[in-house]
Amino acid sequence: MPRMTISRSNLSLMLTLGLVAPASAQGTPKATSHTVQKGDTLWDIARAALGDPFLWPQIYKLNTDVVENPHWIYPGEVLRLEGAAGQTAVPTTDTPAPPPRTAPMPAASPTVMPMSPASAMDQGSQGGDDGLGLFRRRRVDVQGAFNTYRETKFHPLRAGEFYSAGFLTERDSLPWGELLGPVTPEQIESGRSRAAVQAYTLVGMRPASGATYSINDTLVVVDRREGPIGYGEIIVPTGMVRVVSQNGSQTVGQVIAVYGPIRNGQSLMPAEKFTDPGSAAYQPVAKGLEGHMLVSRDLRELRHPQEVIFIDIGRKDGVAPGDLFEARRTAGPQDKTDADAIEEKMAVLQVIHVRNRTATVKVLNVISPDIKPGTRVVQVAKLPS
């Protein structure tokens, strides 16, 4: 008798026509439990036992007393496999058609709010009226809105801005500690020896020579870069760490804030105390302090909002946190090939951090981004003392 070969497609067709009974219909007993073997996953067990890998949540729900995390099952665990008969991950019937739409409810008449005579006069005087009042436009008093904004009390300084801004060391000797890197063993192994540290990571620290850290001390992690001549180093904060324990001669801390890449080998310094000025309104200053821009913290060519730059006046000159300055272009010849410049405002700056001879300012608004080192800055407002 000639040998007949049945392909997978032919077998599927025969199963569909009922010419061949599936294994479960031929009397093969259905397993009611499964002992986990090395390499098993709920996905594989569902595919083998239930015929559909997408039914793995069904097995997990039956075994929550054994399996705590569905992504982690261990050899030797015995899992129950009973489930609803004929259950599948994908419905076997089409979604029923939606019910016929009923007649829409009549729309309620809009409520017309009474208009004050001043408002009516204001609207009636605007252009663009089509005669029905549908396209009337309200005139926006931009200058009035700006004045209202400037006079409104708000929160001018926040701790996060203060600690993340950075400063110039002014060649002062500071108590630098050292970040040694994540405490081992790490929860997730890193393939890079200088991989950036994430929030809540435990890190080892070495205090400055002759210094010690106490539990709950807060430290700032910083990058140190070469600064302008005569003003020391540029300090760029990358995060904050809180001391949680001691490990022999080393201190263990937990990362509580991330401002940039935190890597082993960076420096540590005790966090300065931040004094919150609360909500306050600025007071204009006539003929305020004058200074000059020294350098941008991030060494960019053009200025942009939220950028941090340093100026050459500080606490000894009367500068205080929260002060507002304007960067101004000086009138007169700028270059032999250019027309003479006129006095103009280039940007609005807010003081974030103050040291003895310098201050750290944040750019609030940019009008002309080509603010170069040496640009004049003028104090225009300050917070009440």
Side-chain angles (χ1 to χ4, degrees), residues 42 56 60 63-64 66-74 77:
L42 291 183
W56 69 262
Y60 171 59
N63 295 276
T64 53
V66 177
V67 180
E68 295 183 1
N69 187 329
H71 301 291
W72 295 96
I73 58 177
Y74 300 93
E77 292 179 338

PDB file of all heavy atoms in Angstrom, residues 42 56 60 63-64 66-74 77:
ATOM      1  N   LEU A  42       6.076  30.769  32.667  1.00  0.00           N
ATOM      2  CA  LEU A  42       4.625  30.625  32.630  1.00  0.00           C
ATOM      3  C   LEU A  42       4.116  30.641  31.186  1.00  0.00           C
ATOM      4  O   LEU A  42       3.128  29.997  30.854  1.00  0.00           O
ATOM      5  CB  LEU A  42       3.965  31.745  33.443  1.00  0.00           C
ATOM      6  CG  LEU A  42       4.165  31.683  34.957  1.00  0.00           C
ATOM      7  CD1 LEU A  42       3.397  32.818  35.629  1.00  0.00           C
ATOM      8  CD2 LEU A  42       3.720  30.342  35.524  1.00  0.00           C
ATOM      9  N   TRP A  56      -1.141  32.504  30.170  1.00  0.00           N
ATOM     10  CA  TRP A  56      -0.267  32.378  31.338  1.00  0.00           C
ATOM     11  C   TRP A  56      -0.802  33.119  32.563  1.00  0.00           C
ATOM     12  O   TRP A  56      -0.596  32.670  33.694  1.00  0.00           O
ATOM     13  CB  TRP A  56       1.163  32.836  31.013  1.00  0.00           C
ATOM     14  CG  TRP A  56       1.331  34.299  30.763  1.00  0.00           C
ATOM     15  CD1 TRP A  56       1.377  34.935  29.576  1.00  0.00           C
ATOM     16  CD2 TRP A  56       1.508  35.320  31.757  1.00  0.00           C
ATOM     17  NE1 TRP A  56       1.554  36.268  29.734  1.00  0.00           N
ATOM     18  CE2 TRP A  56       1.648  36.540  31.071  1.00  0.00           C
ATOM     19  CE3 TRP A  56       1.565  35.326  33.154  1.00  0.00           C
ATOM     20  CZ2 TRP A  56       1.824  37.740  31.722  1.00  0.00           C
ATOM     21  CZ3 TRP A  56       1.746  36.522  33.812  1.00  0.00           C
ATOM     22  CH2 TRP A  56       1.870  37.717  33.098  1.00  0.00           C
ATOM     23  N   TYR A  60      -1.030  31.906  36.616  1.00  0.00           N
ATOM     24  CA  TYR A  60      -0.514  32.728  37.715  1.00  0.00           C
ATOM     25  C   TYR A  60      -1.588  32.981  38.763  1.00  0.00           C
ATOM     26  O   TYR A  60      -1.341  32.879  39.973  1.00  0.00           O
ATOM     27  CB  TYR A  60       0.015  34.045  37.154  1.00  0.00           C
ATOM     28  CG  TYR A  60       0.368  35.059  38.220  1.00  0.00           C
ATOM     29  CD1 TYR A  60       1.321  34.769  39.195  1.00  0.00           C
ATOM     30  CD2 TYR A  60      -0.277  36.291  38.257  1.00  0.00           C
ATOM     31  CE1 TYR A  60       1.625  35.692  40.181  1.00  0.00           C
ATOM     32  CE2 TYR A  60       0.028  37.213  39.248  1.00  0.00           C
ATOM     33  CZ  TYR A  60       0.982  36.896  40.202  1.00  0.00           C
ATOM     34  OH  TYR A  60       1.278  37.819  41.180  1.00  0.00           O
ATOM     35  N   ASN A  63      -2.115  30.276  41.192  1.00  0.00           N
ATOM     36  CA  ASN A  63      -0.970  29.872  42.017  1.00  0.00           C
ATOM     37  C   ASN A  63      -0.323  31.038  42.742  1.00  0.00           C
ATOM     38  O   ASN A  63       0.886  31.041  42.989  1.00  0.00           O
ATOM     39  CB  ASN A  63       0.068  29.159  41.138  1.00  0.00           C
ATOM     40  CG  ASN A  63      -0.441  27.868  40.562  1.00  0.00           C
ATOM     41  OD1 ASN A  63      -0.408  26.824  41.201  1.00  0.00           O
ATOM     42  ND2 ASN A  63      -0.920  27.926  39.319  1.00  0.00           N
ATOM     43  N   THR A  64      -1.115  32.040  43.078  1.00  0.00           N
ATOM     44  CA  THR A  64      -0.524  33.191  43.775  1.00  0.00           C
ATOM     45  C   THR A  64      -0.005  32.827  45.162  1.00  0.00           C
ATOM     46  O   THR A  64       0.799  33.568  45.743  1.00  0.00           O
ATOM     47  CB  THR A  64      -1.566  34.322  43.905  1.00  0.00           C
ATOM     48  OG1 THR A  64      -2.757  33.793  44.501  1.00  0.00           O
ATOM     49  CG2 THR A  64      -1.887  34.908  42.542  1.00  0.00           C
ATOM     50  N   VAL A  66       1.864  30.336  45.611  1.00  0.00           N
ATOM     51  CA  VAL A  66       3.180  29.739  45.350  1.00  0.00           C
ATOM     52  C   VAL A  66       4.094  30.746  44.646  1.00  0.00           C
ATOM     53  O   VAL A  66       5.270  30.869  44.976  1.00  0.00           O
ATOM     54  CB  VAL A  66       3.045  28.453  44.505  1.00  0.00           C
ATOM     55  CG1 VAL A  66       4.421  27.874  44.182  1.00  0.00           C
ATOM     56  CG2 VAL A  66       2.179  27.428  45.224  1.00  0.00           C
ATOM     57  N   VAL A  67       3.533  31.467  43.664  1.00  0.00           N
ATOM     58  CA  VAL A  67       4.326  32.370  42.822  1.00  0.00           C
ATOM     59  C   VAL A  67       4.072  33.801  43.278  1.00  0.00           C
ATOM     60  O   VAL A  67       2.946  34.301  43.193  1.00  0.00           O
ATOM     61  CB  VAL A  67       3.940  32.213  41.334  1.00  0.00           C
ATOM     62  CG1 VAL A  67       4.780  33.161  40.478  1.00  0.00           C
ATOM     63  CG2 VAL A  67       4.121  30.771  40.883  1.00  0.00           C
ATOM     64  N   GLU A  68       5.114  34.471  43.764  1.00  0.00           N
ATOM     65  CA  GLU A  68       4.984  35.864  44.191  1.00  0.00           C
ATOM     66  C   GLU A  68       5.099  36.813  43.007  1.00  0.00           C
ATOM     67  O   GLU A  68       4.400  37.805  42.929  1.00  0.00           O
ATOM     68  CB  GLU A  68       6.067  36.208  45.221  1.00  0.00           C
ATOM     69  CG  GLU A  68       5.924  35.441  46.534  1.00  0.00           C
ATOM     70  CD  GLU A  68       6.966  35.874  47.542  1.00  0.00           C
ATOM     71  OE1 GLU A  68       7.767  36.774  47.208  1.00  0.00           O
ATOM     72  OE2 GLU A  68       6.991  35.320  48.654  1.00  0.00           O
ATOM     73  N   ASN A  69       6.011  36.512  42.102  1.00  0.00           N
ATOM     74  CA  ASN A  69       6.236  37.349  40.921  1.00  0.00           C
ATOM     75  C   ASN A  69       6.124  36.463  39.690  1.00  0.00           C
ATOM     76  O   ASN A  69       6.875  35.488  39.568  1.00  0.00           O
ATOM     77  CB  ASN A  69       7.625  37.989  40.993  1.00  0.00           C
ATOM     78  CG  ASN A  69       7.869  38.997  39.885  1.00  0.00           C
ATOM     79  OD1 ASN A  69       7.342  38.863  38.781  1.00  0.00           O
ATOM     80  ND2 ASN A  69       8.682  40.006  40.169  1.00  0.00           N
ATOM     81  N   PRO A  70       5.193  36.740  38.759  1.00  0.00           N
ATOM     82  CA  PRO A  70       5.007  35.857  37.603  1.00  0.00           C
ATOM     83  C   PRO A  70       6.236  35.759  36.709  1.00  0.00           C
ATOM     84  O   PRO A  70       6.323  34.852  35.879  1.00  0.00           O
ATOM     85  CB  PRO A  70       3.828  36.501  36.853  1.00  0.00           C
ATOM     86  CG  PRO A  70       3.820  37.923  37.294  1.00  0.00           C
ATOM     87  CD  PRO A  70       4.281  37.904  38.715  1.00  0.00           C
ATOM     88  N   HIS A  71       7.163  36.689  36.848  1.00  0.00           N
ATOM     89  CA  HIS A  71       8.385  36.639  36.031  1.00  0.00           C
ATOM     90  C   HIS A  71       9.460  35.750  36.652  1.00  0.00           C
ATOM     91  O   HIS A  71      10.498  35.520  36.038  1.00  0.00           O
ATOM     92  CB  HIS A  71       8.925  38.053  35.818  1.00  0.00           C
ATOM     93  CG  HIS A  71       7.960  38.964  35.148  1.00  0.00           C
ATOM     94  ND1 HIS A  71       7.584  38.828  33.833  1.00  0.00           N
ATOM     95  CD2 HIS A  71       7.261  40.028  35.635  1.00  0.00           C
ATOM     96  CE1 HIS A  71       6.714  39.769  33.526  1.00  0.00           C
ATOM     97  NE2 HIS A  71       6.500  40.515  34.590  1.00  0.00           N
ATOM     98  N   TRP A  72       9.208  35.272  37.865  1.00  0.00           N
ATOM     99  CA  TRP A  72      10.204  34.447  38.544  1.00  0.00           C
ATOM    100  C   TRP A  72       9.521  33.204  39.114  1.00  0.00           C
ATOM    101  O   TRP A  72       8.770  33.293  40.090  1.00  0.00           O
ATOM    102  CB  TRP A  72      10.873  35.218  39.685  1.00  0.00           C
ATOM    103  CG  TRP A  72      11.674  36.378  39.200  1.00  0.00           C
ATOM    104  CD1 TRP A  72      11.284  37.671  39.110  1.00  0.00           C
ATOM    105  CD2 TRP A  72      13.023  36.345  38.733  1.00  0.00           C
ATOM    106  NE1 TRP A  72      12.276  38.461  38.616  1.00  0.00           N
ATOM    107  CE2 TRP A  72      13.363  37.672  38.367  1.00  0.00           C
ATOM    108  CE3 TRP A  72      13.975  35.341  38.579  1.00  0.00           C
ATOM    109  CZ2 TRP A  72      14.601  38.006  37.862  1.00  0.00           C
ATOM    110  CZ3 TRP A  72      15.211  35.678  38.075  1.00  0.00           C
ATOM    111  CH2 TRP A  72      15.518  36.987  37.720  1.00  0.00           C
ATOM    112  N   ILE A  73       9.728  32.057  38.476  1.00  0.00           N
ATOM    113  CA  ILE A  73       9.289  30.773  39.012  1.00  0.00           C
ATOM    114  C   ILE A  73      10.521  29.887  39.156  1.00  0.00           C
ATOM    115  O   ILE A  73      11.505  30.051  38.425  1.00  0.00           O
ATOM    116  CB  ILE A  73       8.230  30.106  38.103  1.00  0.00           C
ATOM    117  CG1 ILE A  73       8.773  29.897  36.682  1.00  0.00           C
ATOM    118  CG2 ILE A  73       6.941  30.912  38.076  1.00  0.00           C
ATOM    119  CD1 ILE A  73       7.805  29.180  35.768  1.00  0.00           C
ATOM    120  N   TYR A  74      10.481  28.951  40.101  1.00  0.00           N
ATOM    121  CA  TYR A  74      11.685  28.230  40.473  1.00  0.00           C
ATOM    122  C   TYR A  74      11.471  26.720  40.356  1.00  0.00           C
ATOM    123  O   TYR A  74      10.359  26.213  40.600  1.00  0.00           O
ATOM    124  CB  TYR A  74      12.093  28.594  41.907  1.00  0.00           C
ATOM    125  CG  TYR A  74      12.359  30.060  42.070  1.00  0.00           C
ATOM    126  CD1 TYR A  74      11.355  30.930  42.495  1.00  0.00           C
ATOM    127  CD2 TYR A  74      13.605  30.595  41.760  1.00  0.00           C
ATOM    128  CE1 TYR A  74      11.591  32.287  42.635  1.00  0.00           C
ATOM    129  CE2 TYR A  74      13.856  31.945  41.907  1.00  0.00           C
ATOM    130  CZ  TYR A  74      12.853  32.796  42.341  1.00  0.00           C
ATOM    131  OH  TYR A  74      13.101  34.134  42.481  1.00  0.00           O
ATOM    132  N   GLU A  77       8.717  23.966  42.137  1.00  0.00           N
ATOM    133  CA  GLU A  77       7.395  24.478  42.475  1.00  0.00           C
ATOM    134  C   GLU A  77       6.328  23.715  41.700  1.00  0.00           C
ATOM    135  O   GLU A  77       6.486  23.452  40.501  1.00  0.00           O
ATOM    136  CB  GLU A  77       7.288  25.972  42.163  1.00  0.00           C
ATOM    137  CG  GLU A  77       8.153  26.840  43.048  1.00  0.00           C
ATOM    138  CD  GLU A  77       8.044  28.315  42.707  1.00  0.00           C
ATOM    139  OE1 GLU A  77       7.650  28.620  41.559  1.00  0.00           O
ATOM    140  OE2 GLU A  77       8.368  29.140  43.577  1.00  0.00           O
TER     141      GLU A  77
END
